[in-house]
Amino acid sequence: MTQTTETPASAGDPQPVSDRVPGRRRGRVHRAWFVAAVTFVTIIGAAAFRSLPGLLIDPLHQEFGWSRGTIGAAVSVNLALYGLTAPFAAALMDRFGIRRVVAVALTVVSVGSLLTVWMTAAWQLMLYWGLLVGLGSGSMALAFAATVTNRWFTERRGLVSGILTAASASGQLIFLPLLSWLITRHDWRPAAVTVALAALAVVPFVWLLLRDHPADVGQKPYGATEFVPKPAPVQGAARRTLRVLSSAVRTGPFWLLAGTFAICGASTNGLIQTHFVPAAHDHGMPITAAASLLAVIGVFDVVGTIASGWFTDRFEPRRLLAVYYALRGVSLLFLPMLLAPSVHPPMIFFIVFYGLDWVATVPPTLALCREQYGDDSAIVFGWVLASHQVGAALVAFLGGMARDAFGSYDMVWYASGALCAAAALMALVIRRRPAAPVAAASVAAAT
């Protein structure tokens, strides 16, 4: 995909590089695609910490005797902070720049993961994995992808948001088999060290290759007709984040988007990512086999999310969300009948189906946030993502409690399926904005 640039009419704005560098070939690949590629690699490297919690439940239970509810509580703190940090991270990126915020976040994740190697008490798991890794990972949440998309692209936003969202699934595909093998053959500690090293390895790529804004390299955003000067740093990041929230909560679409995304988090990160491996192990399936199935979900997650981005550019986002949630709910109702000691064709079908639907909800949710909230959409999406992670945190904790109380996860699967059906109905009643304000919001989001 290519994009050319032209000199803006305003004499006061910096000229694009394409007009300042004599003899540059027209039709050259736009720098936005390189920024998107660096963002993709960063999210892949950071995905290691997203792959580990579900693999730790049984090893930590066996070594320390902690209940699954206790371990699930630490995971829930991680997931909740992952979401609650995201809107503030989006504002911090406006204040200090993308590179600084993401580089610091990766370092915090690395420190938190490394410290777990020496923990001996449950409160330390809460502190290291729950607090530090939660705060660091939240600063690289989907608000990071939304900020890059809004700044660097005015066209192909649905496709780019789908690709960047799929990066997390790609990282899961890479790290899940490796981490499960390390835990099975050696111990959970080498897996924690691997997560720490993976986070640190990405820092140089972020610092050397990522750029905060197209104006930093003298270019227009991809698809823009005019050059966009880099805005001044926004003071008072926390105040702005809370001000945007105060405004958004007065609108009905915010609560519907937050509610549907909370159910999305409950049925993915909180449920499948955290509890699928121990649930499969309860039925006699080896941990490595269950982890490999999660990795396969990651394969089809990439396909489904990119396809969802393509669909979002062409179809009404509300209807896409309704279809995604309805299909996800139906699949969860069948899962208890599919768990067995070995992998069989119906289980493979579930994994493929669930993978295609895993985060396909993100591109249409992002599109609705841009449509409703314009240039505040990245921060609003950060708050919507916070609801996603709160839903995930609740199910990560309650799922472990249910397993301790009932001896199985069946009740959790059925309840999550019913919640997905409710999310499908909620998506259909989100009010659309008229065409003219939508166009204005899109232009504002690009700036």
Side-chain angles (χ1 to χ4, degrees):
M1 299 180 185
T2 61
Q3 177 72 16
T4 58
T5 56
E6 298 180 14
T7 307
S10 173
D13 292 339
Q15 286 188 322
V17 169
S18 57
D19 291 329
R20 290 189 281 107
V21 180
R24 176 179 173 178
R25 288 189 301 111
R26 299 186 69 83
R28 183 176 177 180
V29 176
H30 195 283
R31 180 63 177 266
W33 294 107
F34 292 103
V35 172
V38 173
T39 304
F40 186 88
V41 171
T42 302
I43 296 174
I44 285 179
F49 56 76
R50 300 285 302 282
S51 304
L52 193 56
L55 303 178
L56 289 179
I57 292 179
D58 283 338
L60 294 179
H61 174 69
Q62 293 168 6
E63 179 171 339
F64 297 106
W66 300 336
S67 71
R68 290 174 175 84
T70 298
I71 300 168
V75 176
S76 71
V77 171
N78 175 288
L79 292 172
L81 286 176
Y82 176 94
L84 293 172
T85 304
F88 293 95
L92 287 172
M93 289 176 189
D94 288 340
R95 173 66 177 86
F96 298 105
I98 298 173
R99 288 195 303 169
R100 292 179 182 177
V101 172
V102 174
V104 170
L106 286 166
T107 304
V108 171
V109 166
S110 180
V111 170
S113 182
L114 193 60
L115 286 174
T116 60
V117 172
W118 293 285
M119 68 181 177
T120 56
W123 68 265
Q124 293 171 326
L125 179 64
M126 296 277 190
L127 175 63
Y128 302 151
W129 195 265
L131 180 64
L132 292 180
V133 176
L135 288 174
S137 60
S139 299
M140 294 176 295
L142 291 174
F144 171 35
T147 301
V148 170
T149 303
N150 285 352
R151 289 186 183 183
W152 282 89
F153 294 85
T154 59
E155 293 182 356
R156 305 282 192 254
R157 281 178 168 174
L159 177 63
V160 173
S161 62
I163 292 172
L164 295 182
T165 302
S168 181
S170 300
Q172 177 176 288
L173 167 65
I174 294 169
F175 287 106
L176 263 174
L178 172 63
L179 296 177
S180 64
W181 179 84
L182 285 173
I183 291 172
T184 302
R185 295 296 183 91
H186 300 283
D187 189 19
W188 62 268
R189 291 177 176 83
V193 173
T194 300
V195 169
L197 294 178
L200 276 181
V202 180
V203 174
F205 291 95
V206 171
W207 194 255
L208 296 175
L209 301 177
L210 194 63
R211 293 294 180 268
D212 292 329
H213 195 277
D216 290 339
V217 292
Q219 288 194 340
K220 309 170 189 174
Y222 180 86
T225 58
E226 297 181 358
F227 184 80
V228 179
K230 184 176 181 178
V234 179
Q235 303 291 333
R239 288 195 302 274
R240 182 190 175 201
T241 302
L242 294 174
R243 186 172 63 252
V244 170
L245 174 64
S246 177
S247 175
V249 296
R250 296 185 176 94
T251 65
F254 174 81
W255 292 106
L256 292 169
L257 288 168
T260 56
F261 225 41
I263 294 171
C264 178
S267 56
T268 53
N269 301 72
L271 182 64
I272 297 295
Q273 191 167 55
T274 303
H275 294 295
F276 178 80
V277 171
H281 191 55
D282 283 346
H283 288 75
M285 185 180 293
I287 291 178
T288 51
S292 297
L293 289 176
L294 275 185
V296 174
I297 284 180
V299 175
F300 289 95
D301 185 9
V302 174
V303 177
T305 308
I306 294 175
S308 179
W310 188 86
F311 289 143
T312 302
D313 287 332
R314 290 159 176 81
F315 301 104
E316 187 179 340
R318 297 181 308 163
R319 295 182 179 178
L320 289 176
L321 285 178
V323 171
Y324 296 156
Y325 286 122
L327 293 176
R328 183 184 299 178
V330 170
S331 66
L332 284 172
L333 296 178
F334 284 96
L335 181 57
M337 297 179 282
L338 303 179
L339 292 170
S342 60
V343 179
H344 48 87
M347 173 58 77
I348 294 175
F349 179 80
F350 169 84
I351 293 296
V352 171
F353 186 87
Y354 212 82
L356 291 172
D357 196 22
W358 181 270
V359 286
T361 55
V362 172
T365 301
L366 264 172
L368 288 169
C369 284
R370 280 195 295 267
E371 174 184 301
Q372 297 285 341
Y373 304 105
D375 53 353
D376 288 330
S377 62
I379 296 177
V380 173
F381 180 73
W383 285 112
V384 172
L385 177 63
S387 72
H388 180 282
Q389 295 307 115
V390 169
L394 285 173
V395 171
F397 172 66
L398 295 176
M401 294 290 290
R403 170 62 178 79
D404 290 335
F406 301 112
S408 77
Y409 286 99
D410 289 358
M411 186 65 67
V412 183
W413 307 131
Y414 295 137
S416 297
L419 285 174
C420 288
L425 295 175
M426 292 166 65
L428 289 175
V429 299
I430 296 174
R431 177 175 52 85
R432 297 295 305 274
R433 279 186 177 271
V438 171
S442 298
V443 172
T447 62

Short mmCIF file of all heavy atoms in Angstrom, two decimals, residues 44 63 110 115 270 390 435 441:
data_model
loop_
_atom_site.label_atom_id
_atom_site.label_comp_id
_atom_site.label_asym_id
_atom_site.label_seq_id
_atom_site.Cartn_x
_atom_site.Cartn_y
_atom_site.Cartn_z
N ILE A 44 3.69 -7.61 19.92
CA ILE A 44 4.04 -9.03 19.93
C ILE A 44 5.00 -9.34 21.07
O ILE A 44 4.82 -10.30 21.84
CB ILE A 44 4.67 -9.44 18.58
CG1 ILE A 44 3.60 -9.54 17.50
CG2 ILE A 44 5.40 -10.78 18.72
CD1 ILE A 44 4.15 -9.93 16.15
N GLU A 63 3.06 -25.76 44.18
CA GLU A 63 4.28 -25.42 44.92
C GLU A 63 4.00 -24.73 46.24
O GLU A 63 4.63 -25.05 47.25
CB GLU A 63 5.19 -24.54 44.05
CG GLU A 63 6.47 -24.12 44.78
CD GLU A 63 7.46 -23.42 43.88
OE1 GLU A 63 7.39 -23.60 42.65
OE2 GLU A 63 8.34 -22.70 44.41
N SER A 110 9.06 -5.83 32.76
CA SER A 110 10.22 -6.70 32.92
C SER A 110 10.61 -6.84 34.39
O SER A 110 10.87 -7.95 34.87
CB SER A 110 11.39 -6.15 32.11
OG SER A 110 12.53 -6.96 32.24
N LEU A 115 10.86 -10.13 39.34
CA LEU A 115 10.76 -10.22 40.80
C LEU A 115 9.94 -11.42 41.26
O LEU A 115 10.14 -11.93 42.38
CB LEU A 115 10.15 -8.94 41.36
CG LEU A 115 11.06 -7.70 41.37
CD1 LEU A 115 10.28 -6.47 41.81
CD2 LEU A 115 12.27 -7.91 42.27
N GLY A 270 -10.56 -13.02 30.77
CA GLY A 270 -10.90 -13.53 32.09
C GLY A 270 -11.25 -14.98 32.11
O GLY A 270 -10.95 -15.69 33.07
N VAL A 390 -12.02 -4.91 33.58
CA VAL A 390 -12.75 -5.14 34.83
C VAL A 390 -13.62 -6.40 34.69
O VAL A 390 -13.68 -7.23 35.60
CB VAL A 390 -13.61 -3.92 35.20
CG1 VAL A 390 -14.56 -4.25 36.34
CG2 VAL A 390 -12.71 -2.75 35.60
N ALA A 435 -24.60 11.43 9.50
CA ALA A 435 -23.44 11.33 8.62
C ALA A 435 -22.50 12.52 8.75
O ALA A 435 -21.29 12.38 8.78
CB ALA A 435 -23.90 11.20 7.16
N ALA A 441 -16.05 14.23 12.97
CA ALA A 441 -15.30 13.52 14.02
C ALA A 441 -14.08 12.82 13.47
O ALA A 441 -13.04 12.76 14.08
CB ALA A 441 -16.23 12.52 14.72
#
